[in-house]
Amino acid sequence: MKLNFKKIALGLVLTGGFAGSALAAGTAAGTDVENLATLTFKAEPTGPDLVLESSPTGNSTVGASNGESTDFVVDRKLDFEVVTTDTTLVSVLEGDTAQVTTFTLKNTSNDTLDFALAALNRASGSMTDPYAATDSFDVTTATMSIAVGGSTQDYVDNLAPDAMVTITITSDIPDDGITVANGGVGSGDIALVTLVAQVAEDDDGSGGAATPGALIAQDSSGNAAPGGTAASVADDPDAVQDVFAEDDVEGNAGSTIAARAAVTHNFVANGSGRFDGDGAGTDVASNGQFAATSGYIIEQPELVVTKESETVWDAFSCSVATEPTDSTADVDTLCGVGTNPKAIPGAYVRYTLTIQNNGNTEVTGASIADTVDTDTLLVVGPPTSVVVEDGDEAAVDPIPTDGSSATDLSLSGITIAEKDAADGDDVIVITFFVTIK
Amino acid sequence: MKKMNASIKAMLFSVAMLPLAALAEDKVVFKSEVFQEVTVTEDGKSATKLVPAEKVLPGEEVVYILSFSNEGDSEARDLVINNPIPEHTWYRQGSAFGAGTQISVSVDGGKRYGNLIDLDVTLANGEQRAATFKDVSHVRWTVNYALQPGKTGTVSYRAVVQ
């Protein structure tokens, strides 16, 4: 009867479409795969056909239901993948809070699983994946948080085979108050963050609470997760056994675990709490963990202003008798060759303001104001000059409006292009005269 | 068609005539075993060998070996081995083997047998398409020789876990 039943069952499967019914993740762990063959023969030349079913050890009893199927259990393939969905580094400003990097975790195992998550603040050093970026600062580790599907939690609960969830790491960007020129963190600096997923048991069968199950610290094939001990488990055709099947991740030393102390990982820290980037702690395949890296890039202007002064004319030292009218002319032209103007009452002093943008973002609508010393008076009007040196002239647009008074220099509507190695850096030079009272 | 009728009739007959068939009991022993092929390195050389299928993951292949021995004192003849492909697996195309046998497969639950390339599958809308290995439902070996007393024959095929 068993044989007949099997034929009926197969017939039904055929009606429903025999091919393509399996999940991409494959046959569920624990499924029994049964094989029963039949041998038809004659014992005597004119005798009846005898039907003999197979058995694992050999069956010689003719007739239906006398055989026994040859079985094995499909084991548990612990396979999953973490990728970032950020296509570029996330653009931030110094001091920004709650900046989000985004990842997905897909369970390609043949069983429902939980996953514990950790967010790593990567070490300084270059990485090839995914942006060939070089980490040069850390986000504020204490504020890093992980969310799964929008809910702040550091684990994934009950992820079915072939199911995928979106996971975010939210970070604050520090503001050190120091410019890049002075050795601080700023424009162009990059902080990389890594999401590590560690496979865990789906625990809802025992507890029911939405908590991560026990971490699966080793499989049955001699592989261990970081912190676990490789176990040699004898093969058993009747038991579901675990096999770590996930890939390795890009290899680079990691940094502080911000979110989940229970997850150890094999990115190695140095003694200072930052990570040395020596590549010693690289992930390997089949260790129950998968990680992906995204990150932040600081994109902001960074202006450097310098101010210099020079006495260019006085009525007694100069061979040129007329008061200066061109703030960009040199002293020889303004005062006369071989002369040496002095800072006496009535003398003209030239101030030179130099403004450079060392950042990676253009500044528009910038205003410049300068209140002159109370012992001097600003020479207002045409003598004030604004020029752009060494750069792209089109970047200063519109031409600044001169709103100066006798005591205040005021310029507005200035555009200052970002630092650009390709066509040289814009340097805005503003020159103006004051006279000494 | 003639063959199919004969084999179905034979099966029904054997079930109905169990007491008579008992006369020939304990004569032929039929065994099904399942293995995995693994690569082992011994003395610096790698070689494949078959081990019992104990750690099997989706996508992996198993090898079924069916052996039949004549432990009686007269020959057994007209041997036909039929193996429905186990549920949750796909037949590995071209993997069926058996010295001195004619091999055919079925893609319709054992109604029709032939070479896989000659078989079609009828879709729900009545259209037909060429059968693929995923459609194989049965493998059949028709043994060309009579199994003499004391002799053993084997046939085999491979299946991939879905």
Side-chain angles (χ1 to χ4, degrees):
Chain A
M1 286 313 288
K2 189 173 182 182
L3 186 63
N4 285 337
F5 173 76
K6 274 188 165 291
K7 287 181 84 76
I8 291 166
L10 257 171
L12 286 173
V13 170
L14 276 166
T15 313
F18 181 73
S21 58
L23 292 167
T27 304
T31 303
D32 218 5
V33 175
E34 304 177 346
N35 187 53
L36 187 73
T38 57
L39 171 65
T40 309
F41 67 101
K42 287 186 196 304
E44 297 154 35
T46 56
D49 280 342
L50 305 175
V51 177
L52 186 59
E53 292 179 354
S54 65
S55 84
T57 54
N59 170 40
S60 59
T61 307
V62 167
S65 302
N66 289 326
E68 183 191 340
S69 63
T70 300
D71 301 347
F72 65 88
V73 171
V74 176
D75 290 314
R76 190 160 68 162
K77 182 182 182 181
L78 299 171
D79 196 4
F80 52 101
E81 187 179 59
V82 179
V83 296
T84 178
T85 56
D86 297 327
T87 53
T88 59
L89 293 166
V90 176
S91 175
V92 296
L93 302 174
E94 277 190 270
D96 275 353
T97 58
Q99 296 299 303
V100 175
T101 50
T102 308
F103 304 83
T104 57
L105 165 62
K106 184 174 185 186
N107 180 11
T108 49
S109 308
N110 58 345
D111 196 12
T112 297
L113 294 166
D114 289 357
F115 294 89
L117 306 172
L120 309 184
N121 207 344
R122 299 308 298 267
S124 293
S126 61
M127 292 179 56
T128 55
D129 182 43
Y131 314 112
T134 299
D135 182 285
S136 52
F137 78 101
D138 282 346
V139 297
T140 309
T141 298
T143 61
M144 287 172 80
S145 66
I146 300 175
V148 178
S151 162
T152 301
Q153 59 186 56
D154 57 7
Y155 60 91
V156 175
D157 201 38
N158 300 345
L159 194 61
D162 288 329
M164 188 165 80
V165 289
T166 297
I167 299 166
T168 54
I169 295 177
T170 301
S171 315
D172 289 353
I173 310 302
D175 184 355
D176 61 359
I178 303 170
T179 63
V180 172
N182 289 324
V185 170
S187 178
D189 275 321
I190 290 169
L192 298 176
V193 294
T194 295
L195 180 71
V196 179
Q198 155 80 51
V199 65
E201 296 287 355
D202 168 30
D203 65 339
D204 283 6
S206 56
T211 55
L215 304 187
I216 301 173
Q218 68 272 319
D219 70 3
S220 308
S221 296
N223 299 310
T229 306
S232 180
V233 179
D235 289 340
D236 184 344
D238 299 323
V240 177
Q241 297 185 301
D242 289 338
V243 178
F244 286 156
E246 91 295 333
D247 208 349
D248 58 348
V249 302
E250 35 68 34
N252 195 50
S255 188
T256 327
I257 287 185
R260 185 170 186 76
V263 177
T264 50
H265 60 89
N266 54 7
F267 298 154
V268 180
N270 66 15
S272 69
R274 277 178 62 86
F275 285 70
D276 54 14
D278 64 2
T282 56
D283 189 23
V284 294
S286 299
N287 70 348
Q289 293 186 351
F290 204 108
T293 296
S294 183
Y296 307 92
I297 183 165
I298 296 177
E299 292 189 317
Q300 62 189 21
E302 193 159 302
L303 299 182
V304 177
V305 181
T306 57
K307 185 177 180 183
E308 294 171 333
S309 69
E310 179 183 26
T311 304
V312 296
W313 184 87
D314 74 76
F316 307 100
S317 311
C318 292
S319 57
V320 176
T322 54
E323 295 182 1
T325 56
D326 179 2
S327 69
T328 64
D330 58 24
V331 176
D332 283 352
T333 305
L334 296 173
C335 190
V337 176
T339 60
N340 200 2
K342 302 292 186 297
I344 58 176
Y348 273 62
V349 175
R350 170 165 58 204
Y351 283 100
T352 304
L353 283 173
T354 306
I355 305 167
Q356 189 163 3
N357 182 1
N358 286 326
N360 51 10
T361 307
E362 181 185 74
V363 173
T364 58
S367 301
I368 295 162
D370 191 353
T371 303
V372 301
D373 190 277
T374 53
D375 292 325
T376 64
L377 285 172
L378 183 69
V379 180
V380 298
T384 299
S385 164
V386 179
V387 298
V388 181
E389 294 180 355
D390 302 329
D392 177 4
E393 295 287 341
V396 181
D397 181 39
I399 297 299
T401 309
D402 184 344
S404 305
S405 68
T407 54
D408 290 308
L409 176 75
S410 177
L411 299 170
S412 61
I414 299 174
T415 298
I416 311 169
E418 68 274 21
K419 189 175 177 67
D420 180 358
D423 68 349
D425 299 331
D426 287 354
V427 179
I428 293 187
V429 181
I430 301 164
T431 52
F432 60 93
F433 291 139
V434 298
T435 57
I436 300 172
K437 288 180 183 172
Chain B
M1 288 304 285
K2 193 177 175 191
K3 264 189 182 168
M4 182 201 82
N5 285 337
S7 104
I8 285 180
K9 203 195 289 176
M11 265 188 251
L12 293 173
F13 182 74
S14 69
V15 172
M17 302 297 283
L18 216 50
L20 283 179
L23 292 172
E25 272 184 18
D26 302 329
K27 186 174 176 188
V28 175
V29 178
F30 186 33
K31 184 156 79 170
S32 163
E33 293 171 286
V34 59
F35 298 93
Q36 275 176 297
E37 196 170 82
V38 295
T39 302
V40 293
T41 305
E42 285 171 354
D43 301 331
K45 292 177 183 171
S46 68
T48 58
K49 69 173 188 179
L50 293 179
V51 298
E54 288 167 341
K55 194 175 293 167
V56 187
L57 300 178
E60 292 184 348
E61 187 176 88
V62 293
V63 183
Y64 286 105
I65 296 181
L66 311 174
S67 55
F68 44 100
S69 308
N70 186 348
E71 295 179 359
D73 52 13
S74 61
E75 67 177 23
R77 51 202 302 159
D78 298 345
L79 284 79
V80 177
I81 295 162
N82 194 321
N83 198 154
I85 302 301
E87 211 179 328
H88 308 295
T89 70
W90 285 311
Y91 171 67
R92 170 72 83 196
Q93 186 162 5
S95 68
F97 178 78
T101 68
Q102 271 182 301
I103 297 166
S104 56
V105 300
S106 173
V107 296
D108 57 7
K111 294 195 194 95
R112 222 159 34 109
Y113 284 86
N115 288 325
L116 184 54
I117 55 167
D118 299 330
L119 296 174
D120 290 323
V121 172
T122 303
L123 302 175
N125 62 7
E127 289 179 16
Q128 290 198 322
R129 64 162 173 81
T132 75
F133 67 95
K134 289 186 178 181
D135 300 312
V136 172
S137 62
H138 291 67
V139 186
R140 191 176 70 181
W141 294 262
T142 305
V143 182
N144 295 334
Y145 54 88
L147 189 65
Q148 299 302 322
K151 297 292 185 185
T152 297
T154 60
V155 298
S156 67
Y157 73 99
R158 292 168 183 248
V160 177
V161 178
Q162 292 174 9

